[in-house]
Amino acid sequence: MDTVSRNDLQHHHGGRPERDFARLSVEPAPVVDFSVNLNPLGCPDLVRSRWSEMMEGIDRYPGLEGEGIARYLQERLDLPEENVLGSNGSTEMIYLIPRALGLQRVGIVSPCYHDYYRASVLAGAEVHRVRLSPDTEFRPLSADRLSAALSDADALWLGNPNNPTGTFFSRDVLSELAARFPRKRLIVDEAFMPFDEDWEKESLAVPPLLPNVLVIHSLTKFYGLAGLRLGGVTASAEVIERLRRFKEPWTVNSVSEALAPLLLECGDYDTETRRLVADERSRLHAALENVDGLTVFPSRANFLLCRWDKEPELDPLLRRLLACGICVRDCRNFPGLEAGYFRVAVRTPEDNDLLVEGLASLDRG
Ligand SMILES: Cc1ncc(COP(=O)(O)O)c(C=O)c1O
């Protein structure tokens, strides 16, 4: 494992095409944004149709602890109240967990979402990375490799599926890992798990819960609600109690609080989303594989990691794509992905066709 410097506390997020236009000196114009990984269907219809009902409580303080979101997670996962806590997006939990648990030394399976590192460093922890490798197409590490990483740390973070690689760890492997180290914590970010057709079989948040596993949830990705910020965590009653003691009050606003339980009524939308993502991911993967100079990595998520090998630099490709109205996530600021990597979201069939056509037209010269 590599020890990591504590210097990189900047934010590393996609979803800001204006920054790419400025950096690459391209005249700003509307784009289809493949750099964000939200539900391609947009938010469920009831968000608009029942908006005035949700607005009714805004003159009062919401619940102290995001109880509306906790109710959603309890029902969705069939868990008792003592195992669930709601939050302002999963981000609040990513930052609360290392602080509240007083983590000193953590392992991070990487390349991965930058905020596991940032939150750990801000909580005072030393960070080590255990790396997924391009030589194995970023496939999951064995239980032994993960064990070596965890044996040397208080806790191990991993995304499942992992952003930006789309790597998927089976519930069996992670359960075995957790059982080997009952005194250590496994922090599993399942922000993208709801997109998976097998989520009920694979999620570590479905009972029986494992006492040393914390699962982080995001509703903002799956329901296309990034601006409203809904998330949470499921864990043992003891861990939830500790997180409660450190959590700031009223972080979940009353609109999100009222909306979360209504999302339980969106069964058809949930099913349609999973089917669309599975179908479009395999279609997009196959089409992108045919683009000369492009390597596409296997993914179980609603996005695909790609590498551009045809030119020594990625910028000319990013510039040409922007000029075609396409923004992708430049991944060169993820440690290990400096050499021409970028990520694209799986979007609607029309948008995905635009991406394939854009890349194919560059290929034709
Ligand atoms: C892997 C992963 N986890 C968590 C988050 C944070 O999501 P939110 O706070 O909107 O739930 C993101 C956002 O991009 C992400 O990619």
Side-chain angles (χ1 to χ4, degrees):
M1 281 206 299
D2 320 331
T3 305
V4 186
S5 91
R6 293 170 157 232
N7 299 333
D8 189 5
L9 293 178
Q10 294 189 352
H11 292 291
H12 291 193
H13 296 288
R16 290 176 55 200
E18 69 286 356
R19 203 178 38 187
D20 295 26
F21 278 114
R23 190 180 70 77
L24 297 165
S25 307
V26 179
E27 191 61 33
V31 285
V32 179
D33 192 355
F34 285 87
S35 76
V36 289
N37 302 315
L38 301 178
N39 191 319
L41 296 176
C43 67
D45 291 342
L46 65 73
V47 177
R48 286 186 182 82
S49 63
R50 296 178 71 174
W51 187 255
S52 52
E53 182 187 325
M54 292 182 264
M55 287 280 289
E56 269 165 29
I58 64 166
D59 57 347
R60 295 187 295 276
Y61 276 91
L64 274 174
E65 293 180 348
E67 288 82 347
I69 301 180
R71 221 162 46 246
Y72 167 91
L73 289 171
Q74 269 174 254
E75 284 203 30
R76 168 51 49 107
L77 301 166
D78 197 18
L79 289 173
E81 200 182 338
E82 62 180 17
N83 294 123
V84 179
L85 190 57
S87 61
N88 184 293
S90 57
T91 299
E92 184 188 351
M93 284 305 157
I94 291 174
Y95 283 82
L96 178 63
I97 289 167
R99 185 159 48 90
L101 300 185
L103 301 179
Q104 305 277 306
R105 195 174 154 83
V106 301
I108 295 186
V109 177
S110 76
C112 64
Y113 188 54
H114 175 63
D115 288 46
Y116 311 151
Y117 161 86
R118 187 170 186 275
S120 302
V121 169
L122 287 174
E126 193 175 292
V127 177
H128 301 261
R129 290 190 197 277
V130 53
R131 294 193 186 267
L132 302 163
S133 167
D135 302 340
T136 56
E137 297 188 300
F138 301 105
R139 285 183 202 280
L141 302 168
S142 65
D144 286 343
R145 279 289 306 285
L146 293 170
S147 291
L150 187 51
S151 67
D152 198 26
D154 309 333
L156 184 68
W157 290 92
L158 56 87
N160 202 30
N162 183 51
N163 178 12
T165 58
T167 311
F168 194 90
F169 294 87
S170 74
R171 183 179 161 110
D172 288 348
V173 166
L174 296 183
S175 303
E176 185 190 329
L177 179 68
R180 281 190 200 177
F181 297 95
R183 291 179 191 285
K184 303 188 181 233
R185 319 259 190 206
L186 202 53
I187 310 170
V188 183
D189 178 0
E190 292 193 357
F192 295 104
M193 180 66 85
F195 289 96
D196 197 278
E197 290 186 302
D198 274 341
W199 73 270
E200 279 176 284
K201 196 171 124 249
E202 295 295 347
S203 169
L204 283 161
V206 170
L209 297 189
L210 304 169
N212 54 338
V213 175
L214 292 84
V215 177
I216 295 173
H217 303 270
S218 171
L219 282 65
T220 66
K221 309 280 181 200
F222 188 73
Y223 292 109
L225 296 169
L228 278 184
R229 323 288 312 120
L230 293 86
V233 67
T234 47
S236 70
E238 177 212 341
V239 167
I240 294 292
E241 190 44 45
R242 186 162 180 89
L243 295 175
R244 278 207 170 102
R245 270 193 268 141
F246 281 77
K247 187 183 186 319
E248 287 79 5
W250 305 306
T251 56
V252 177
N253 66 72
S254 59
V255 173
S256 300
E257 178 96 329
L259 169 59
L262 302 182
L263 296 171
L264 292 163
E265 298 169 20
C266 297
D268 290 347
Y269 168 97
D270 295 3
T271 308
E272 192 186 343
T273 299
R274 290 184 191 112
R275 193 169 307 132
L276 175 70
V277 166
D279 290 351
E280 280 301 298
R281 182 181 54 222
S282 52
R283 197 178 70 89
L284 187 59
H285 191 289
L288 293 179
E289 263 188 336
N290 284 330
V291 176
D292 184 35
L294 195 66
T295 302
V296 190
F297 293 90
S299 167
R300 264 286 280 266
N302 54 322
F303 47 80
L304 295 168
L305 182 67
C306 305
R307 191 180 62 221
W308 184 237
D309 297 319
K310 199 169 179 175
E311 296 168 282
E313 293 297 328
L314 185 62
D315 277 355
L317 177 74
L318 299 181
R319 197 174 286 119
R320 295 194 298 266
L321 286 175
L322 275 183
C324 297
I326 294 165
C327 179
V328 300
R329 171 68 156 93
D330 179 354
C331 286
R332 290 173 297 172
N333 60 358
F334 286 84
L337 299 185
E338 294 83 356
Y341 286 86
F342 65 96
R343 189 194 66 208
V344 294
V346 174
R347 295 182 54 102
T348 60
E350 300 72 39
D351 288 349
N352 297 333
D353 286 345
L354 183 78
L355 174 67
V356 172
E357 181 47 37
L359 281 161
S361 69
L362 305 178
D363 198 17
R364 290 193 294 268

